[in-house]
Structures are given as structure tokens and as C-alpha cells.
Amino acid sequence: MTQTRIVEVRAGVLKKNDELARGLRTRFESAGAFVVNLVSSPGAGKTQLLERTLGELAAAGHRCAALVGDLETDNDARRLARSGVPVQQINTHGRCHLEADVIGEFVGAWDLANLDYLFIENVGNLVCPASYDLGEALRVALLSVTEGEDKPQKYPTMFNSADVALITKIDLAEACEFDRSAAHGAIHEVRPGMTILEVSARRGTGMSAWLDLLVARRDAWRNRS
Amino acid sequence: MTQTRIVEVRAGVLKKNDELARGLRTRFESAGAFVVNLVSSPGAGKTQLLERTLGELAAAGHRCAALVGDLETDNDARRLARSGVPVQQINTHGRCHLEADVIGEFVGAWDLANLDYLFIENVGNLVCPASYDLGEALRVALLSVTEGEDKPQKYPTMFNSADVALITKIDLAEACEFDRSAAHGAIHEVRPGMTILEVSARRGTGMSAWLDLLVARRDAWRNRS
């Protein structure tokens, strides 16, 4: 087993995924469904953010749905279902990321034309999900204040492939001695000019700016030439 | 590219790694170097725990060294070097875990017979490092109180392949509304009877029990029949 052989197989998998993702993107665009792919470490707070986001967008009249990926358990789908929007759990059974083929299978259960927003909560992993396009319109990388300010430098591909960085659990910043300026600096070193928002889904801090961003990005996407 | 082909290539990589890991384990045993592989999510506190562990073991007269894996940067090696023990940084440049071959290369720089303990800080990832034996005598899975109590159920292979679970950042338990009983229950559901310790490397809480465990496990390992 040579390293060259492994790299070739991996390149083949990525190429196939890219082709499937292009097809998905066309489907999402035709249907008018704005797809957001949430990526982060395990435990950065994707589910808590999404639970609150789905509830608030639905309350404002937006039609939402969510796909949530985990190796095992349907804990997250059950949490998200409390928001009242349609949710499906994807169990990857050992695979460390979601791929376009499985997204294609699961969205087949829904009429995409009835959705304004489709959120995909990826498997918690700061490495592999970066390489797999899911046909999303917006990729959001979460970084919690408890993780260490230099994570963007250690995992540059994830932050470089994302459109927006969301610093989560901001209510714990003081308890963690979080260095805000170092974290923003690390993100901008990897991706100069990247939009950074700070939120606490538990306390509600920063949620309105996050929701405004989602609405503005969807509007811009719908009016693209 | 079929799924079968990918699985075959992956099985080949794992088999080669297992063979190399067996060779490493023999080298470590002949030299009397007790090797500890630390695995966790990014940001669970491996480096902070290790910095304090190296300092306290060295102060007690134990001869230690550390290898630290990250995709990019030598931030962690620089932090760990403050403890005064020999440290080498391994940059995986995109690879989401350490493998036995790279460990073999890096330990070649040291006389293993002069080491009581060799710590390996794996890449932050709760999935892939679980499948790669590094020839270690002890695998320790860290779970921080900020991550969510159900992580062992979501990432069962990692906790099932570890020997000891370490709940970290215990000083943040109250601020995170950490449910201790749920976390212990989740670990024991995946791995009944697993030893669980709780520590705060920042505050020093639980460090003596952790250091006692390391010494006891090394003694038992040296006296194995």
C-alpha cells in the first residue's frame, strides 16, 4: 500500500463528491432553498445554536428544515425537533464527515420548493468536513470560547473554506479567560476580512445579528445575477 | 470509485499501521518507556493537561518526553517546552490523526532507554485517531465539561478504544451546567467499568489522582508477566 495509491483514491472520492455537490447546488437553487452547512469541533455548540435559530426563524415566518449528522445516536434530531421544524438525523456509523451523496438521499424526502432555509449540522470534526462540498450556499465555522484561540491556525482548511466564523458560548468568555483579540487575529490570519460574529445561543447574546446575517445572505443569494 | 474499493484501501492502511505499531510497542517495552496516547476533540485541554503533567512528573524525578501532533503550527510544542522536557512537534499537514510510521521516525531522535514516560498528544479529533494504534501502553480519552455529556455515545469508538477517560476543565462545570452523572453514565454505557478521573489542569484539581494513576499504571506495566 503506497502513499500515492491512497492519495489517488482520496482524490477520486473528492472528485465524485464535487460532482454530486454541483448537482445538489443546482437543485437547491432551482427550489429557492438556502442551504447552510455548520461545521466545528465536537461540542462547539452547533446543536444549541441551531435549536434556537430554527425556533426564531420559524417564529418569523421562515420555512426551515434541518439535517443533522452524527456517527451514532439520534440525540440531536430529537433536540432539534422541539423547534417544531422538520428534522432528519443522519448516522454515519464511523464516517467522520457528511458527503453529498447522503445529503442527496435525505433531501429526497422533502419538497425543497417549500423550504426557505435548510440547515445541515455536520459531524463534529475540524478536519475532514472541510474537504466535502455539500452543495451549500453558506458554510459557517463555529469556534467556541472554550477551545483555544489558535484553532484557526491549527485547522486552517476548515476556516479557510468557510464563509463566516461564529464564536460561540460567548457567555463563558470570562470564565475561560478568552482572548477575543487573539481569536479574531487567528481567524483573519487564515482568512483575511472574514465576517466574525459572537453569540451565546444559551443566553441569546448576538442572536439577532446572526439571524439578520442569514436573512441578508439569503436575500443576496436570491437576487444574484 | 466504489465503496468497496475505498474500504479495501482503508483496511490496507490500518493493517500496515497495526504492524508498525506492534514493532513500536516492542521497542517501547524493551526500553522501559511507558507511552501514553492522549486523544480528544480539538480544544478539550490536552496541551494544558500535558504541560502540567510533564512539569509535575519531572519535578518528581521521572524522565519524560512528548510528541505533539497538529495539522499546522508548533504552538503546542512551544508551550510544552516550557516544562523543560524534550518535546517534538509533528505537523500532519492535513492528515487528521497520527500514524505509527511517523511516531517511529520521530522517536528515532531520542534514546528511549532514558525515558520513563513518553506522551503523545494526538491531533484533536474524536473519530480517526481511534483507529490508529501508536504502540502506546495507555490510551487516555479526554472529554471537557464544555462539550456535552453525550459525546461518548456519539463517538463510541474513541471511548471504547481508550483505557481511561479524563473529564477535563472541571473548574468550568458549574458555568456550563455540566451534568456529571449523565457524563459518567454515557462513558459507562459505551465502556462499562472504565476508570474515570476528573481534572482541572488550570486549577490543579484532580492532578494528584491523575499522576498517581500514571505511576501505578507504569509500575503494573513494568511488572507484567
Side-chain angles (χ1 to χ4, degrees):
Chain A
M1 182 63 51
T2 63
Q3 188 60 37
T4 313
R5 169 92 182 286
I6 301 166
V7 171
E8 279 170 9
V9 170
R10 188 171 145 78
V13 172
L14 285 172
K15 188 176 167 215
K16 185 186 161 199
N17 186 79
D18 281 345
E19 287 165 3
L20 290 169
R22 271 199 292 275
L24 275 179
R25 185 165 284 112
T26 305
R27 278 174 73 186
F28 297 147
E29 287 176 355
S30 308
F34 186 72
V35 178
V36 182
N37 181 7
L38 298 175
V39 294
S40 78
S41 299
K46 293 182 294 304
T47 313
Q48 190 152 23
L49 174 80
L50 194 46
E51 190 177 354
R52 188 152 189 159
T53 301
L54 292 172
E56 301 204 9
L57 285 175
H62 300 288
R63 300 165 302 170
C64 302
L67 291 174
V68 51
D70 274 301
L71 275 72
E72 305 291 344
T73 85
D74 64 350
N75 295 359
D76 287 358
R78 284 189 283 112
R79 272 178 76 181
L80 293 177
R82 297 193 301 228
S83 64
V85 315
V87 178
Q88 294 184 79
Q89 176 80 48
I90 303 174
N91 280 144
T92 64
H93 303 300
R95 195 178 284 189
C96 55
H97 57 275
L98 292 174
E99 296 187 14
D101 61 349
V102 73
I103 299 298
E105 284 170 32
F106 276 76
V107 294
W110 288 325
D111 180 359
L112 292 172
N114 283 333
L115 291 180
D116 299 320
Y117 294 91
L118 169 62
F119 290 90
I120 302 173
E121 179 182 335
N122 219 309
V123 175
N125 180 341
L126 269 185
V127 188
C128 312
S131 305
Y132 291 86
D133 183 2
L134 304 180
E136 70 267 27
L138 189 74
R139 184 178 293 189
V140 180
L142 281 68
L143 170 71
S144 83
V145 299
T146 70
E147 286 176 64
E149 296 82 357
D150 63 352
K151 285 295 170 293
Q153 292 150 327
K154 287 182 174 177
Y155 299 85
T157 308
M158 186 58 88
F159 287 84
N160 202 29
S161 72
D163 303 293
V164 171
L166 212 54
I167 299 177
T168 58
K169 306 192 186 184
I170 200 73
D171 55 307
L172 297 176
E174 196 177 339
C176 297
E177 298 165 19
F178 176 68
D179 184 337
R180 184 174 180 274
S181 142
H184 284 242
I187 293 166
H188 284 147
E189 185 186 311
V190 170
R191 182 81 181 259
M194 191 178 207
T195 298
I196 304 175
L197 295 179
E198 298 180 347
V199 297
S200 163
R202 185 162 62 155
R203 304 290 178 219
T205 320
M207 283 301 296
S208 62
W210 160 239
L211 296 168
D212 288 349
L213 178 138
L214 288 173
V215 172
R217 292 293 176 109
R218 180 170 185 266
D219 286 346
W221 171 81
R222 293 184 70 188
N223 298 323
R224 70 199 177 283
S225 54
Chain B
M1 180 64 50
T2 65
Q3 188 61 36
T4 313
R5 168 93 184 285
I6 300 165
V7 170
E8 278 169 10
V9 170
R10 188 171 146 77
V13 173
L14 285 172
K15 188 176 167 214
K16 184 184 160 200
N17 186 79
D18 282 345
E19 287 165 3
L20 290 170
R22 272 200 291 277
L24 275 179
R25 186 165 283 112
T26 305
R27 276 172 74 185
F28 297 147
E29 287 177 354
S30 309
F34 187 73
V35 178
V36 182
N37 181 7
L38 299 175
V39 293
S40 78
S41 300
K46 293 183 294 304
T47 312
Q48 190 153 25
L49 174 80
L50 195 46
E51 188 176 354
R52 186 150 190 161
T53 301
L54 292 172
E56 299 204 11
L57 284 176
H62 300 287
R63 299 165 304 171
C64 301
L67 291 174
V68 52
D70 275 300
L71 274 71
E72 303 293 343
T73 85
D74 64 350
N75 294 0
D76 287 357
R78 285 189 282 113
R79 272 178 76 181
L80 294 177
R82 296 193 300 228
S83 63
V85 314
V87 178
Q88 293 183 79
Q89 177 81 48
I90 303 174
N91 280 143
T92 64
H93 302 301
R95 193 177 285 189
C96 56
H97 58 274
L98 292 174
E99 296 188 13
D101 61 349
V102 72
I103 300 297
E105 284 169 32
F106 275 77
V107 295
W110 287 325
D111 181 358
L112 292 172
N114 283 334
L115 290 181
D116 299 320
Y117 294 90
L118 169 63
F119 291 88
I120 302 173
E121 180 182 335
N122 219 309
V123 175
N125 181 342
L126 269 185
V127 189
C128 312
S131 305
Y132 291 86
D133 183 3
L134 304 180
E136 70 267 28
L138 189 75
R139 185 179 291 189
V140 180
L142 280 67
L143 170 70
S144 82
V145 298
T146 70
E147 286 177 65
E149 297 81 357
D150 63 352
K151 286 293 170 294
Q153 292 151 327
K154 287 182 173 176
Y155 299 85
T157 309
M158 186 59 90
F159 286 86
N160 202 29
S161 73
D163 303 293
V164 170
L166 213 54
I167 299 177
T168 57
K169 307 192 187 183
I170 200 73
D171 55 307
L172 297 175
E174 197 177 339
C176 297
E177 298 166 19
F178 176 68
D179 183 338
R180 182 175 182 273
S181 143
H184 284 243
I187 293 167
H188 285 147
E189 185 186 310
V190 171
R191 182 80 181 260
M194 192 178 206
T195 298
I196 304 175
L197 296 179
E198 298 180 348
V199 297
S200 163
R202 185 163 62 155
R203 304 291 177 216
T205 320
M207 283 301 295
S208 61
W210 160 240
L211 296 168
D212 288 350
L213 178 139
L214 288 172
V215 172
R217 293 290 177 109
R218 180 169 187 265
D219 286 347
W221 172 81
R222 294 185 67 189
N223 297 325
R224 70 200 178 282
S225 53

